[in-house]
Amino acid sequence: MGPVYAQPKVEQETVSARIVSVTPMVPFDGVPHAGGQYYLRHLRALAALGHRITILAPDSPDNRVGRLALRNEFRVELLAVSTPLGRRLADFSDKQQARLFPVRPVARIRRAFSGSTVARRLVETADVVEYQWTETAWLAAHLPAPSARHVVVVHDVLSQSYERFLEASAAAPLPQRLLARWRRFIVARDERRVYSKADVAVTFSAKDVDVIHRCAGAAAPARVVRPPLAGVESAEHADPGTTTAPVVLFVGAFDRSVNADAAEWAATEILPIVRARHPRVRFVFAGANPTPRMHELAADLDAVEVTGRVETLDPYYADAAAVLVPLRSGAGVKFKTVEAMVRGIPVVSTTVGVEGIVDDRLHVFAVADEADALARGVIAVLDDPAAARADARGVRAAARAEFSAAQFERSLAEVYGS
């Protein structure tokens, strides 16, 4: 007899759909990256709407942790992933495949799904099969589900990121430029295939809908579902930075190269300009997996603090006079920007950091793309923190409404049914 999985206590007549959620990772409370935190809220919102959900993911130590954490909420099936070449060679092969074909899961993962009778049976009997992250949606070709609705949850439109990587490689050696050109081409082609075959692509902003339409054509079905980021903020607290050393906060999972690059750039080029005006300022980089270079900067510069993984970011937001979002690459809605906005903290950001967020109703304190201009924005906050905080609180209510849990559930109900 197989294992018995606990399901949410929902009366049979209220269960709207059987949803299979295909994902590279199984989330859990405290998962140390924004995508995983969103995914957990997404699953719980679908369950609250009455849907019965099975999570389908590759087996890994982290995913076993997630399965254990969610054992009383969702059924989680982990598929065995073989390593016929041995772990070291398999990891090397995976890395090279991912470099050449970023949208496609590596061959070992594809084989795990296509060869699994459990996976095939689940998708064949599902009402909806959703794929978390664009890369996972490539597996739809290996899991035929002709009677199920096919939903892709697009955390990032990858072709936009690789277009930026190509632009940034203009001065690089020829092999790097050729690789960047190839990756831009193959990502755009593979994303076009993914989005054109989906019944609906769920994105976090109208900007990403436009990018999908440029990639896959105007007929590609895409819907905006704003993530539920309001409500993460803690209780009100006194304005920081008035009597103590002011803190400028940057939050991220630093195993992502775009976050690590931003942190290193902020510490080496933005911080010195700010410190010339405000000698007591501290730049705090809060998040998991900081790079060795970040640790070196923290050791060399007494104004830099690198936290590593933390249980909660609330104390760091409570201390922040400003949130800095110095991203130079990447795509998608930056949750770190919204989380500062719903807390009423002044945000100084690059254009990349506010894409898909700001509009006629929502703004941040300053937007710039050069180090000196970003530094001037931070200095303006620290020169008059009360005025900067008042400006941020002026848009806080609109941000909380835009990214509320209630709005999120209404949007999901339109996509998945209620």
Side-chain angles (χ1 to χ4, degrees):
M1 181 176 177
V4 176
Y5 297 92
Q7 295 287 341
K9 294 182 179 180
V10 179
E11 296 299 326
Q12 184 63 38
E13 62 268 23
T14 67
V15 173
S16 299
R18 292 164 296 178
I19 299 174
V20 174
S21 184
V22 185
T23 175
M25 58 81 61
V26 181
F28 51 89
D29 287 309
V31 62
H33 51 84
Q37 293 161 14
Y38 164 82
Y39 181 31
L40 185 57
R41 295 176 193 137
H42 172 98
L43 291 170
R44 287 171 172 165
L46 290 179
L49 289 169
H51 301 302
R52 190 178 297 276
I53 303 152
T54 299
I55 300 168
L56 192 58
D59 192 11
S60 71
D62 286 345
N63 283 347
R64 289 178 213 140
V65 171
R67 178 174 63 180
L68 181 63
L70 297 184
R71 66 188 183 280
N72 293 323
E73 295 185 75
F74 306 104
R75 176 181 176 183
V76 179
E77 291 282 356
L78 301 183
L79 307 182
V81 180
S82 63
T83 54
L85 302 175
R87 171 61 61 186
R88 184 171 296 180
L89 283 176
D91 289 345
F92 175 79
S93 175
D94 289 352
K95 183 176 180 180
Q96 300 313 310
Q97 290 177 60
R99 289 183 73 215
L100 292 173
F101 299 98
V103 172
R104 307 180 192 184
V106 298
R108 294 189 304 129
I109 300 296
R110 298 199 301 270
R111 287 195 297 268
F113 279 84
S114 63
S116 169
T117 56
V118 170
R120 289 200 301 274
R121 183 175 69 251
L122 284 170
V123 300
E124 286 170 359
T125 58
D127 300 305
V128 178
V129 181
E130 69 162 29
Y131 294 88
Q132 290 287 333
W133 287 274
T134 300
E135 301 95 313
T136 312
W138 188 265
L139 294 170
H142 301 269
L143 294 172
S147 62
R149 194 155 183 253
H150 177 182
V151 178
V152 180
V153 181
V154 183
H155 292 239
D156 300 300
V157 184
L158 298 174
S159 52
Q160 186 175 43
S161 290
Y162 284 94
E163 184 70 37
R164 286 173 171 155
F165 291 151
L166 177 61
E167 293 171 0
S169 72
L174 179 61
Q176 289 179 237
R177 296 202 308 272
L178 292 175
L179 177 61
R181 188 171 295 277
W182 161 259
R183 281 148 67 94
R184 190 273 306 266
F185 163 76
I186 200 65
V187 164
R189 191 188 73 172
D190 286 355
E191 279 199 316
R192 184 162 56 249
R193 292 178 177 178
V194 165
Y195 300 142
S196 63
K197 292 179 180 178
D199 289 306
V200 62
V202 170
T203 74
F204 300 148
S205 73
K207 182 270 297 181
D208 282 350
V209 170
D210 292 340
V211 177
I212 288 173
H213 286 164
R214 290 199 301 271
C215 173
R223 291 286 302 275
V224 175
V225 174
R226 287 300 213 182
L229 299 176
V232 298
E233 67 277 4
S234 58
E236 295 293 336
H237 51 76
D239 287 352
T242 55
T243 59
T244 61
V247 170
V248 176
L249 177 67
F250 175 46
V251 170
F254 294 107
D255 52 352
R256 295 196 64 190
S257 60
V258 293
N259 288 331
D261 167 79
E264 293 165 17
W265 183 51
T268 56
E269 298 193 33
I270 300 173
L271 171 60
I273 302 172
V274 177
R275 202 176 188 190
R277 171 82 175 190
H278 292 274
R280 300 177 64 203
V281 72
R282 289 192 302 123
F283 274 37
V284 175
F285 302 125
N289 303 309
T291 63
R293 175 59 175 156
M294 291 173 63
H295 283 300
E296 290 174 7
L297 290 167
D300 293 341
L301 302 170
D302 59 2
V304 171
E305 178 184 347
V306 173
T307 71
R309 181 176 176 178
V310 296
E311 290 302 315
T312 175
L313 291 167
D314 281 348
Y316 298 94
Y317 280 115
D319 287 342
V323 165
L324 177 63
V325 188
L327 295 168
R328 297 189 286 185
S329 297
V333 169
K334 303 302 179 291
F335 291 5
K336 56 178 69 60
T337 304
V338 178
E339 288 178 347
M341 294 173 70
V342 299
R343 287 175 165 89
I345 303 172
V347 175
V348 177
S349 175
T350 58
T351 305
V352 171
V354 298
E355 283 182 333
I357 299 171
V358 297
D359 56 24
D360 293 339
R361 298 170 302 107
L362 299 174
H363 70 267
V364 297
F365 186 81
V367 179
D369 290 318
E370 302 299 328
D372 59 346
L374 287 165
R376 288 196 299 272
V378 173
I379 288 169
V381 173
L382 302 185
D383 282 349
D384 193 346
R389 183 65 61 130
D391 178 79
R393 286 176 174 168
V395 298
R396 181 175 55 185
R400 289 180 176 180
E402 179 81 3
F403 294 93
S404 70
Q407 177 62 37
F408 179 62
E409 284 199 13
R410 285 193 294 270
S411 297
L412 285 185
E414 293 171 3
V415 173
Y416 291 83
S418 60

